[in-house]
Amino acid sequence: MVTALGIHLHFQTLEQTLRERHPELAERVRFHDSEGLMLLKVLLSGTQSVGLAFVRMGHSIVWGLMDPVLNSEPSLWPLNTPNDVLVDALHAHASAHLAGEALSSPWRWNESEPSEMTELADLLDVRGVSVRRVVAGNGYFAYGPRHAPKLAVFDAGEGAFLKAEFAEAFVRVSLKPTLGWLVDVHIPRWGGWGRVDLAWCLRSASSPTPGVPRADVSVEELADLLCKGPEAWDTEPPWTPPEPAAQTSQRRG
């Protein structure tokens, strides 16, 4: 069992690590331990700060990084997340606020390492596409109402995915270990989901299996195709996609 003293020492270690890895923020770092609340924070301006704390989500306790932006979604991380990742996430959020800039990638997607999925998210975002969710190395995220968020935990073995909203469609891009890239699309007038025939759209060739091997298509090609819109997507009839495996959530995030 983890004791209060053990948690206190862990936060002290995080504080020291944050000061050592990011000395430019050292004067702004504070460790708050009062009335059962432990919080490592970086002061911004006035009463605002970016903070890292243990957060209870249902029956689970996770690391939560709280941003001062009103109604912003918390950045959630597993309890076994390395200290370096936690303090670097805190640094990334604080630095973005202090510089008056957007949060840098991959942190803006709640990820600690660049990946094909964060690269795709960046390419779509710069073209004005609203990227709603990226799940790659970190399978933890919050969903539901901002005042009562719930925790979803996705198994990395299921692959990575991205959700994006276009003017005419809602898209889910998946990267599966065995199938490669898959794109599912929901268009309101259909009343259901359809799967984009990527092999045909990209190579004008049919494939006996769904998806396209990751080695056969670049992230840039995929982004180009998606940004052409539904008229350029050869899509199979609407269907109901299976729910991805989730340890904690019983619904899609």
Side-chain angles (χ1 to χ4, degrees):
M1 178 179 293
V2 178
T3 65
L5 176 59
I7 296 175
H8 181 94
L9 292 175
H10 192 171
F11 271 90
Q12 285 189 321
T13 299
L14 286 169
E15 178 186 14
Q16 180 179 354
T17 303
L18 178 57
R19 294 179 185 275
E20 291 175 351
R21 287 178 67 86
H22 306 289
E24 74 279 10
L25 295 180
E27 294 184 356
R28 297 177 178 271
V29 176
R30 301 288 187 276
F31 171 38
H32 175 90
D33 183 0
S34 177
E35 299 178 354
L37 173 64
M38 296 188 195
L39 177 69
L40 179 62
K41 60 184 180 181
V42 177
L43 303 179
L44 300 176
S45 61
T47 60
Q48 288 192 328
S49 63
V50 176
L52 177 69
F54 281 140
V55 177
R56 180 173 292 279
M57 304 281 289
H59 297 292
S60 302
I61 297 178
V62 300
W63 286 107
L65 200 155
M66 273 66 71
D67 194 284
V69 176
L70 185 63
N71 290 330
S72 64
E73 184 177 285
S75 178
L76 304 180
W77 300 83
L79 287 182
N80 62 355
T81 301
N83 289 350
D84 289 356
V85 171
L86 293 173
V87 301
D88 286 353
L90 194 55
H91 167 262
H93 280 256
S95 297
H97 279 285
L98 291 170
E101 300 174 348
L103 187 61
S104 61
S105 182
W107 303 105
R108 66 180 306 181
W109 309 120
N110 202 33
E111 295 288 334
S112 63
E113 296 289 341
S115 65
E116 290 158 302
M117 205 57 76
T118 61
E119 182 183 351
L120 178 59
D122 291 338
L123 290 173
L124 295 178
D125 179 72
V126 78
R127 301 186 194 189
V129 177
S130 178
V131 178
R132 297 297 188 185
R133 178 81 60 205
V134 176
V135 174
N138 178 19
Y140 281 45
F141 65 83
Y143 71 93
R146 289 289 190 264
H147 66 277
K150 297 181 180 180
L151 173 68
V153 181
F154 285 84
D155 184 356
E158 294 291 323
F161 68 87
L162 172 154
K163 293 182 178 181
E165 185 176 350
F166 292 76
E168 315 89 349
F170 186 80
V171 171
R172 177 187 173 99
V173 182
S174 306
L175 183 55
K176 299 292 186 180
T178 56
L179 297 176
W181 292 101
L182 298 169
V183 176
D184 298 310
V185 57
H186 182 279
I187 295 179
R189 68 175 182 272
W190 291 354
W193 287 80
R195 174 158 289 168
V196 176
D197 188 342
L198 282 180
W200 185 260
C201 291
L202 294 169
R203 302 290 182 262
S204 297
S206 59
S207 172
T209 60
V212 173
R214 66 193 304 170
D216 291 354
V217 58
S218 69
V219 175
E220 291 80 3
E221 283 183 292
L222 191 55
D224 289 342
L225 173 63
L226 292 175
C227 288
K228 290 178 181 178
E231 298 302 321
W233 307 339
D234 192 299
T235 308
E236 298 174 3
W239 66 299
T240 301
E243 292 291 320
Q247 298 172 8
T248 306
S249 168
Q250 296 183 355
R251 55 178 289 187
R252 296 169 69 92

